[in-house]
């Protein structure tokens, strides 16, 4: 498993537990990675059941200096801290997502909001924000019924590449299983691409 590291963070976002193309492809991809490097550790995070949205108390806790946070504020940030630590510890991030209404599912956006934290995963400098998660690789598997990945109406894959890059993860590969309602054979092509990514 070349340049894929020893820890994989495997994230799925599809609302479908059965019959999900993005889940099938990420499962195949991660399984193939493990076969090539059996001592790899996998952190599993299924966001489809929902994550809390940011609220005023969360924002206040996040902007409070770490040493000055109350116990309630630390508790408020506990899940976010866990998600951030998972992301920091991973060498490779595998994200499987469908395109819903031209963008990513709300649950995946909630995950992004919880991990995109100043001083934790990025920092502000005189020259603008700088990502703190350099040296990682991300493989994003995107499934769609009609939206062509990379097109002007795809606000999912381009957004994910931008956010990951903002956090310092610039080595991002996108595997498209797109327009499956138009051409179901594209599923097999995406499966082949997933296996090649693990090589």
């Amino acid at each position: 498993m070349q340049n894929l590291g020893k820890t994989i963070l495997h994230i799925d976002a599809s609302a479908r537990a059965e019959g999900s193309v993005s889940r099938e492809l990420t499962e195949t991809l991660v399984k193939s990675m493990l076969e090539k490097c059996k001592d790899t550790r996998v952190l599993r995070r299924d966001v489809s059941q929902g994550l809390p949205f940011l609220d005023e108390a969360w924002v206040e806790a996040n902007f409070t200096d770490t040493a000055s946070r109350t116990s309630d504020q630390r508790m408020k940030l506990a899940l976010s801290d866990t998600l951030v630590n998972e992301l920091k510890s991973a060498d490779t991030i595998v994200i499987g997502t469908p395109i819903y209404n031209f963008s990513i599912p709300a649950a995946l956006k909630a995950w992004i909001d919880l991990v995109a934290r100043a001083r934790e995963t990025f920092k502000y400098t005189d020259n603008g924000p700088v990502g703190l998660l350099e040296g990682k690789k991300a493989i994003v598997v995107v499934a769609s019924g009609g939206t062509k990945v990379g097109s002007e109406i795809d606000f999912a894959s381009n957004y994910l590449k931008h956010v990951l890059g903002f956090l310092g993860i610039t080595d991002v590969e996108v595997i498209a299983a797109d327009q499956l309602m138009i051409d179901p054979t594209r599923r097999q092509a995406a499966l082949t691409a997933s296996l090649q990514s693990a090589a």
Side-chain angles (χ1 to χ4, degrees), residues 76-118:
K76 190 69 177 178
L77 294 173
L79 174 58
S80 174
D81 289 339
T82 296
L83 298 176
V84 166
N85 287 333
E86 288 177 352
L87 191 52
K88 286 180 176 179
S89 66
D91 301 290
T92 304
I93 300 97
V94 174
I95 300 175
T97 183
I99 293 180
Y100 289 162
N101 302 313
F102 312 106
S103 189
I104 60 174
L108 185 55
K109 176 59 167 64
W111 177 83
I112 291 169
D113 289 342
L114 289 167
V115 299
R117 288 173 57 185

Side-chain angles (χ1 to χ4, degrees), residues 16-88:
R16 300 173 67 188
E18 301 292 334
S20 165
V21 173
S22 63
R23 286 182 184 274
E24 175 190 7
L25 293 176
T26 59
E27 190 68 30
T28 298
L29 175 57
V30 171
K31 182 179 179 181
S32 183
M33 290 178 181
L34 291 175
E35 288 173 352
K36 290 176 170 54
C37 189
K38 298 186 184 302
D39 61 344
T40 297
R41 180 175 65 129
V42 178
L43 304 175
R44 186 78 170 84
R45 178 60 63 175
D46 187 341
V47 302
S48 67
Q49 299 306 306
L51 293 170
F53 295 135
L54 306 191
D55 57 18
E56 185 175 8
W58 189 97
V59 172
E60 184 67 25
N62 187 47
F63 283 125
T64 299
D65 184 76
T66 304
S68 301
R69 286 175 186 151
T70 66
S71 58
D72 286 344
Q73 288 177 323
R74 290 193 294 272
M75 186 176 300
K76 190 69 177 178
L77 294 173
L79 174 58
S80 174
D81 289 339
T82 296
L83 298 176
V84 166
N85 287 333
E86 288 177 352
L87 191 52
K88 286 180 176 179

